[in-house]
Amino acid sequence: MRLIVLGASAAYAGPDEACSGYLISHLHPDHFLDIYPLHNYYLLNSTIPDFSLRVLAPSKASELLDCILSDDYRKKFINIFRFEDINGKIEYRFGNLKLQFCKVNHLEPTYAVAIIGKKKLVYSSDTGYCEDLVEFARGADVFICEATLKEVHAGAPVNHLTAKQAAIIAKKAEVKKLFLTHMWPGYDREVSLKEAKEVFDGEIIMSGENKAYEI
């Protein structure tokens, strides 16, 4: 299994950065806007595939994403992308991999996702602290967890985690490696790393754009 980090920034991208993205996410614009350039690539700079691309997404994702398109582009959009609703009960299989989802504490609906093959990778998506995520990440070889805030901002009225809270989840879930992602642009990432290391004794990696990791 190979993990490729498309971006690791929260809300907006800072210099030489990109918004948090792993082709696995939720319905906030900083996580899905790249689908429009992908649509344009197939439409304008590539041979349109003779199949639709399968997109596993929260309910009503297609209506949200195509609402800004003209009628003509909307028809082309839904011809290229085939949306399927996800929930916490359905398990998907792709060759030797299976995908599972768990609803987390953020915009409704937002799901964490587990990709399970010979190894187990879990991505928190955006979330506040929730015990369901602890159980969902249990025993993961890799846990990619949002760490939007510094500890000085703990308790802010937003459903996001600090790096220390991400580390607490990782420790409780007994994961092997913790990747911190979705960090606020301009924050000193070394501070976030230090705060996480106060809790989690395993390996901690700061997610970086365009880096690839063998799992």
Side-chain angles (χ1 to χ4, degrees):
M1 188 186 297
R2 197 178 194 207
L3 167 66
I4 299 176
V5 179
L6 305 181
S9 254
Y12 66 95
D16 300 320
E17 297 176 350
C19 286
S20 187
Y22 302 90
L23 298 184
I24 303 164
S25 206
H26 70 289
L27 293 179
H28 259 170
D30 56 320
H31 290 258
F32 69 69
L33 283 178
D34 286 346
I35 199 169
Y36 299 114
L38 179 60
H39 164 258
N40 289 339
Y41 167 76
Y42 278 112
L43 191 64
L44 305 173
N45 197 38
S46 172
T47 301
I48 296 178
D50 59 2
F51 58 89
S52 56
L53 298 176
R54 190 180 184 193
V55 180
L56 305 179
S59 176
K60 299 182 179 179
S62 62
E63 291 93 330
L64 176 65
L65 269 62
D66 70 23
C67 69
I68 66 171
L69 303 175
S70 66
D71 290 342
D72 181 51
Y73 260 65
R74 186 176 294 116
K75 292 176 183 177
K76 295 172 182 177
F77 188 84
I78 62 177
N79 283 337
I80 293 174
F81 299 113
R82 173 168 51 93
F83 287 84
E84 296 182 29
D85 292 349
I86 60 173
N87 61 51
K89 299 178 181 179
I90 299 175
E91 179 178 284
Y92 297 87
R93 289 189 174 271
F94 300 91
N96 295 325
L97 298 177
K98 62 181 179 180
L99 270 66
Q100 298 173 340
F101 296 91
C102 173
K103 187 176 285 189
V104 292
N105 186 22
H106 194 62
L107 169 77
E108 283 288 331
T110 300
Y111 293 91
V113 59
I115 305 172
I116 303 169
K118 292 182 179 179
K119 300 289 183 71
K120 178 180 178 181
L121 180 152
V122 175
Y123 173 42
S124 69
S125 192
D126 283 13
T127 184
Y129 188 89
C130 57
E131 289 294 332
D132 286 347
L133 181 57
V134 174
E135 292 308 313
F136 190 65
R138 179 75 59 192
D141 296 278
V142 168
F143 179 43
I144 306 168
C145 191
E146 78 117 282
T148 308
L149 306 174
K150 291 182 179 179
E151 196 58 27
V152 69
H153 300 126
V158 293
N159 288 328
H160 286 291
L161 297 170
T162 66
K164 187 172 184 178
Q165 287 173 322
I168 290 171
I169 294 173
K171 182 176 182 178
K172 285 186 173 182
E174 300 178 320
V175 307
K176 295 181 175 64
K177 289 184 181 181
L178 170 63
F179 283 72
L180 297 179
T181 190
H182 201 267
M183 287 158 284
W184 197 259
Y187 280 4
D188 186 340
R189 296 188 177 189
E190 290 303 311
V191 172
S192 296
L193 179 60
K194 180 181 178 181
E195 291 175 348
K197 284 183 174 180
E198 291 174 359
V199 175
F200 185 66
D201 294 330
E203 184 177 0
I204 303 175
I205 297 171
M206 306 296 287
S207 298
E209 281 76 14
N210 298 317
K211 290 186 178 180
Y213 305 89
E214 296 299 328
I215 306 304

